């Protein structure tokens, strides 16, 4: 039978299982292309198939394609998938992370910035060591202006593509008495003299070379016929500039294809600029935009809830996820209101127990939180009921460095003879006590004999310590002495906070301007909150010791605990999303620092959280949370209001004001989580006239608290009362959280 030449040729096998939008993204090979790939729409598959398609159709040789990723893992995965489609190892590729590609380029053109091709790349420790040397001529007080903070400023300049000559007065910093820019210039000059560069220089130098050397730029325009970029929404300014230089050419089309999702841009804190993806069509006039909206991960209810939420953002290109499977209707998103954060942990762990009993794998369950400090109550509850878990992307709560430091302070307060604990914190924060000084203290302790604390006291009294170390250690010992008195008079919660304050430990983290510092302070606040759950300091420390001694499970079947930032790219059958309250999520700190732009990123983070769930998403909010030993009322997050009511099952009540929120008990401490949310529900926000003034409570009054019972007011600090409870000892409680009895 003769062949019907009018019939279209069958699609290659690697294209046959793709949906129409995915095929269009792959087969649109010429000209600029933006692939808006929603969560769960097969982004990686499209990117790798497009790469292979260009090679298999003879449009380019492997060396003529530049493919850029953000992680080495993503680069390896792309290489493996391309090789699988080609049926042979993919060799000669320009495939890797931004920094790896730039390092490869810079080896070829190092002379343009004063380096040789054999330059070294400094690690973080060497960068700080070199910066300290550079700072010396300026006589900078490194306690007030720590080198690591200055390095953070320098790296932010580099992430924005700013050499010292490009830093404008508006971009300048008053850090280090206004010398930051001069030190940056000297630091760069010293790096060149040493034939070295730091990590940020890899991109900065290559961007400058492409800007200033037309012959080099023309060379790469000839080499790269196609450019592929993954996670374009996460690019920072220098990455954007570098890509635009390589893609925009005078002759021929800009064959750049960027894959990304503006609704998942959640890394502004590390320099990502969502505006880069939003202005793609302006940067590349005539660009094709392909939207991948068929989600093969989540149910229709989850997708509709997430779509309704993210639609409240104004800074987006717009797309609506829809299920790619026919059987994807599924359960509605559950909204659970709880009385407090402790009940939140109990309800989540109880639900996990029931799921486990029904055969649900623990490895397909995740608890996703806005901040790392929120993991503690869930960790402790899961350990208590024997459910194995893992903290993904971080340490368990009591294993974190700042928590171990605080515990060391508390161990010394409880037992001054604990030399291991004292040795850990004797120079944290820096007190000028190095390894040699500690060795001498050990020798003195053996001679007494006694613990290290006794050796320090003896040396102070004998006048053997001099200068700053004498002053610092004298202050440390005085802090312990004051905390000991407070421990006996006001209780262990107050004493613990006072010790961390007086020792300078809390101030050390307040002064730290790294992106991790606020989170570390939040963790310390959560630790102080945990201390308040125990009657004595010794009882708390004993509890921690038992927790730390818990044998680790060898099974991989564990519940995953992680932050929402760490969850991007992952997926689970069941996702719990606790802490959806104003001030927690969206984060009040983010809103204070970034305003509406930060609010939109927080909403994108909520969108990411919902779209991690395949079958079941459960959002929780608490009527009150305890900060230190105090209970503070909370309101449901505005994000809860923004989820369309037809895709939600509601448990609990719509709390009308913060005051009412603190008093309303949970309605569903046990049983199925299935009560229906009222149609058209919107949790109201309190107006200014709704907020009642704090009650006046006299010293000596008898009051009642729903958790601590009866107590006597022994002092007050504004609206904060100091109450001696019959069963709980002295606590600090907001006046609105107690009932006046007499």
């Amino acid at each position: 039978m003769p062949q019907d030449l009018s019939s279209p040729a069958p699609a290659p096998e690697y294209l046959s299982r793709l949906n129409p939008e995915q095929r269009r993204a792959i087969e649109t090979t010429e000209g600029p292309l933006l692939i808006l790939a929603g969560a769960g729409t097969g982004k990686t598959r499209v990117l790798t198939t497009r790469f292979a398609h260009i090679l298999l159709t003879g449009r380019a040789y492997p060396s003529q394609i530049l493919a850029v990723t953000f992680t080495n893992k993503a680069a390896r995965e792309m290489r493996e998938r391309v090789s699988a489609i080609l049926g042979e190892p993919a060799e000669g590729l320009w495939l890797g992370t931004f920094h790896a590609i730039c390092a490869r380029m810079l080896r070829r053109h190092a002379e343009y910035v004063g380096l040789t091709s054999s330059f070294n790349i400094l690690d973080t420790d060497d960068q700080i060591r070199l910066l300290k040397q550079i700072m010396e001529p300026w006589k900078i007080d490194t306690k007030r202006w720590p080198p690591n903070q200055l390095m953070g400023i320098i790296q932010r300049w580099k992430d924005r593509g700013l050499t010292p000559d490009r830093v404008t007065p508006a971009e300048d910093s008053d850090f280090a008495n206004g010398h930051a820019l001069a030190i940056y210039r000297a630091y760069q000059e010293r790096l060149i003299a040493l034939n070295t560069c730091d990590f940020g220089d890899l991109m900065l130098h290559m961007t400058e070379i492409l800007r200033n050397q037309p012959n080099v730029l023309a060379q790469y325009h000839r080499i790269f016929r196609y450019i592929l970029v993954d996670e374009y929404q996460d690019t920072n300014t220098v990455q954007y500039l570098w890509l635009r230089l390589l893609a925009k050419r005078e002759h021929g089309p800009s064959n750049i294809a960027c894959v990304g999702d503006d609704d998942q841009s959640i890394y502004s804190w590390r320099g990502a600029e969502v505006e880069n993806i939003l202005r793609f069509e302006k940067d590349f006039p005539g660009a094709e935009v392909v939207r991948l909206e068929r989600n093969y991960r989540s149910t229709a209810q989850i997708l509709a809830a997430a779509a309704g939420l993210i639609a409240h953002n104004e800074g987006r290109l717009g797309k609506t996820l829809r299920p790619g499977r026919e059987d994807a209707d599924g359960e509605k998103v559950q909204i659970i209101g709880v009385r407090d954060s402790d009940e939140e942990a109990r309800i989540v762990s109880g639900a996990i127990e029931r799921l486990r009993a029904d055969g649900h794998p623990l490895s397909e369950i995740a608890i996703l939180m806005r901040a790392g400090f929120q993991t503690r109550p869930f960790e402790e509850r899961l350990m208590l009921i024997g459910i194995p878990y893992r903290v993904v992307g971080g340490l368990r709560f009591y294993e974190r460095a700042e928590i171990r430091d605080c515990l060391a302070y508390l161990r010394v307060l409880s037992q001054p003879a604990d030399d291991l604990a004292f040795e850990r914190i004797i120079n944290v924060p820096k007190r000028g006590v190095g390894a040699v000084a500690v060795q001498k203290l050990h020798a003195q302790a053996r001679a007494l004999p006694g613990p290290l604390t006794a050796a320090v006291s003896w040396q102070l009294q004998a006048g053997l310590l001099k200068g700053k170390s004498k002053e610092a250690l004298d202050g440390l010992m005085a802090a312990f002495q004051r905390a000991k008195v407070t421990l006996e008079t006001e209780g262990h919660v107050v004493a613990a906070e006072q010790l961390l304050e007086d020792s300078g430990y809390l101030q050390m983290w307040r002064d730290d301007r790294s992106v991790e510092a606020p989170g570390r302070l939040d963790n310390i606040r959560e630790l102080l909150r945990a201390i308040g759950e125990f009657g004595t300091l010794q009882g708390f420390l004993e509890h921690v010791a038992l927790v730390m001694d818990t044998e680790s499970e060898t099974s991989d079947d564990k519940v995953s605990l992680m932050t929402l930032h760490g969850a991007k790219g992952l997926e689970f059958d069941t996702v719990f999303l606790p802490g959806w309250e104003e001030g927690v999520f969206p984060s009040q700190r983010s809103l204070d620092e970034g305003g509406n732009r930060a609010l939109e990123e927080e909403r994108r983070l909520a969108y990411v959280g919902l779209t991690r769930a395949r079958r079941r998403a459960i959002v929780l909010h608490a009527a009150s949370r305890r900060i230190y030993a105090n209970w503070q009322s909370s309101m449901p997050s505005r994000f809860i209001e923004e989820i369309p009511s037809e895709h939600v099952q509601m448990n609990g009540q719509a709390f009308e004001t913060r005051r009412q929120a603190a008093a309303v008990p949970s309605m569903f401490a046990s049983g199925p989580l299935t009560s229906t949310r009222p149609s058209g529900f919107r949790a109201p926000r309190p107006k200014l006239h709704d907020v009642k003034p704090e009650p006046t409570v006299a010293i000596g009054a008898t009051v009642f608290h729903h958790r601590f019972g009866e107590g006597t007011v022994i002092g007050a600090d504004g609206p904060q009362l100091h109450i001696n409870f019959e069963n709980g000892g002295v606590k600090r409680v907001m006046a609105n959280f107690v009932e006046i009895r007499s």
Side-chain angles (χ1 to χ4, degrees), residues 396-410 424 505 509 520 522-528 540 544:
R396 295 187 177 211
F397 184 81
Y398 291 114
E399 294 172 348
R400 296 166 188 171
E402 65 276 13
I403 299 303
R404 285 184 173 271
D405 289 343
C406 292
L407 291 174
Y409 273 103
L410 299 180
R424 179 183 180 95
Y505 189 77
W509 287 116
R520 294 184 188 274
D522 285 341
N523 290 339
I524 295 170
R525 293 187 189 102
E526 178 62 22
L527 176 71
L528 292 169
F540 170 71
V544 173

Side-chain angles (χ1 to χ4, degrees), residues 37-207:
T41 58
K43 168 185 71 73
T44 303
R45 183 180 188 182
V46 167
L47 191 64
T48 55
T49 306
R50 178 182 171 86
F51 195 131
H53 178 71
I54 291 171
L55 294 177
L56 289 171
T57 55
R59 287 176 167 83
Y61 293 110
S63 61
Q64 294 175 316
I65 302 175
L66 172 63
V68 191
T69 67
F70 270 87
T71 66
N72 289 315
K73 178 182 177 182
R76 284 195 301 272
E77 183 177 356
M78 186 183 296
R79 187 182 298 273
E80 290 168 359
R81 291 195 181 195
V82 170
S83 297
I85 294 174
L86 295 177
E88 60 184 15
E91 303 293 346
L93 306 180
W94 282 84
L95 167 60
T97 65
F98 280 93
H99 290 90
I101 295 292
C102 281
R104 181 176 171 184
M105 288 181 170
L106 190 56
R107 297 285 180 194
R108 297 183 171 193
H109 311 289
E111 69 276 6
Y112 288 113
V113 290
L115 298 171
T116 71
S117 60
S118 61
F119 64 84
N120 290 322
I121 303 172
L122 294 185
D123 61 23
T124 303
D125 290 342
D126 287 338
Q127 290 174 34
I128 298 298
R129 191 176 301 113
L130 178 60
L131 189 60
K132 286 179 180 178
Q133 296 174 11
I134 300 297
M135 293 171 69
E136 288 179 1
W138 278 272
K139 306 296 182 185
I140 302 297
D141 182 354
T142 55
K143 289 186 177 179
R144 183 181 179 190
W145 312 106
N148 64 318
Q149 294 179 26
L150 179 54
M151 181 58 69
I153 293 171
I154 291 173
Q155 293 304 326
R156 283 192 291 276
W157 278 330
K158 293 184 178 185
D159 286 344
R160 294 201 296 270
L162 300 175
T163 62
D165 292 336
R166 292 183 184 272
V167 178
T168 65
E171 296 274 2
D172 203 352
S173 169
D174 60 0
F175 193 88
N177 293 323
H179 297 306
L181 180 54
I183 295 172
Y184 176 28
R185 188 183 304 278
Y187 172 72
Q188 290 300 98
E189 291 171 354
R190 183 63 175 154
L191 285 173
I192 296 298
L194 294 172
N195 196 37
T196 60
C197 63
D198 63 25
F199 203 60
D201 284 329
L202 297 173
M203 292 221 65
L204 183 66
H205 284 330
M206 269 317 303
T207 301

Side-chain angles (χ1 to χ4, degrees), residues 419-717:
D419 283 356
L420 288 175
F422 188 70
E423 187 172 344
R424 179 183 180 95
I425 54 86
I426 191 172
N427 204 39
V428 181
K430 298 292 185 183
R431 298 188 177 92
V433 184
V436 174
V438 172
Q439 289 177 359
K440 291 180 178 179
L441 285 173
H442 275 294
Q444 184 65 61
R446 289 192 296 271
L448 285 176
L452 286 177
T453 51
V456 171
S457 297
W458 188 89
Q459 290 198 2
L460 286 169
Q461 292 171 4
L464 298 178
L465 297 173
K466 306 293 182 183
K468 290 184 179 179
S469 61
K470 174 186 180 301
E471 181 181 346
L473 288 176
D474 197 22
L476 176 63
M477 301 310 293
F480 275 113
Q481 187 58 40
R482 288 191 297 271
K484 184 176 180 182
V485 173
T486 303
L487 185 64
E488 296 172 354
T489 58
E490 298 187 58
H492 59 294
V493 177
V494 180
E497 181 182 351
Q498 177 185 303
L499 176 59
L500 295 176
E501 193 68 73
D502 290 354
S503 66
Y505 189 77
L506 289 176
Q507 192 61 45
M508 178 187 76
W509 287 116
R510 291 190 195 107
D511 292 339
D512 191 316
R513 299 190 184 182
S514 67
V515 294
E516 296 88 1
R520 294 184 188 274
L521 282 167
D522 285 341
N523 290 339
I524 295 170
R525 293 187 189 102
E526 178 62 22
L527 176 71
L528 292 169
R529 187 185 91 79
I531 294 171
E533 297 177 1
F534 295 82
T536 65
L537 178 60
Q538 185 176 3
F540 170 71
L541 292 173
E542 183 175 308
H543 164 77
V544 173
L546 292 173
V547 167
M548 297 288 283
D549 193 47
T550 301
E551 292 185 6
S552 60
E553 291 278 341
T554 57
S555 171
D556 288 332
D557 193 29
K558 300 177 182 179
V559 176
S560 295
L561 276 66
M562 70 188 83
T563 65
L564 287 160
H565 283 101
K568 187 169 176 293
L570 303 178
E571 56 187 74
F572 303 88
D573 281 347
T574 299
V575 170
F576 292 92
L577 298 158
W580 281 42
E581 299 123 36
E582 288 295 306
V584 177
F585 191 36
S587 160
Q588 191 60 50
R589 182 190 299 122
S590 295
L591 298 187
D592 291 344
E593 294 176 355
N596 189 64
R597 178 176 178 177
L599 173 60
E600 295 215 340
E601 179 157 329
E602 291 286 299
R603 190 177 285 112
R604 292 194 293 268
L605 200 54
Y607 171 84
V608 166
L610 287 172
T611 55
R612 298 310 94 196
R614 297 192 194 99
R615 297 169 49 196
R616 190 178 296 107
I618 303 101
V619 173
L620 300 100
H621 62 92
S624 62
R625 285 193 184 271
R626 186 161 56 186
I627 306 298
Y628 299 150
N630 307 323
W631 287 92
Q632 295 186 4
S633 56
S634 304
M635 279 187 61
S637 169
R638 70 191 74 190
F639 299 152
I640 292 176
E641 301 178 27
E642 295 171 355
I643 299 175
S645 58
E646 60 269 26
H647 303 295
V648 167
Q649 287 180 333
M650 182 69 185
N651 283 297
Q653 296 186 9
F655 303 122
E656 293 187 0
T657 70
R658 293 179 186 271
R659 309 297 175 232
Q660 292 167 330
V664 176
S666 170
M667 301 172 61
F668 42 80
S670 60
L673 313 175
T674 56
S675 60
T676 304
R677 178 182 186 170
S679 177
F681 166 82
R682 285 293 182 270
R685 302 174 194 259
K687 300 178 178 65
L688 291 177
H689 58 73
D690 290 330
V691 182
K692 300 176 182 179
E694 305 285 350
T696 301
V697 185
I699 305 300
T702 299
V703 296
F704 177 80
H705 187 276
H706 76 285
R707 291 186 68 85
F708 304 129
E710 283 199 353
T712 302
V713 179
I714 61 175
D717 181 12

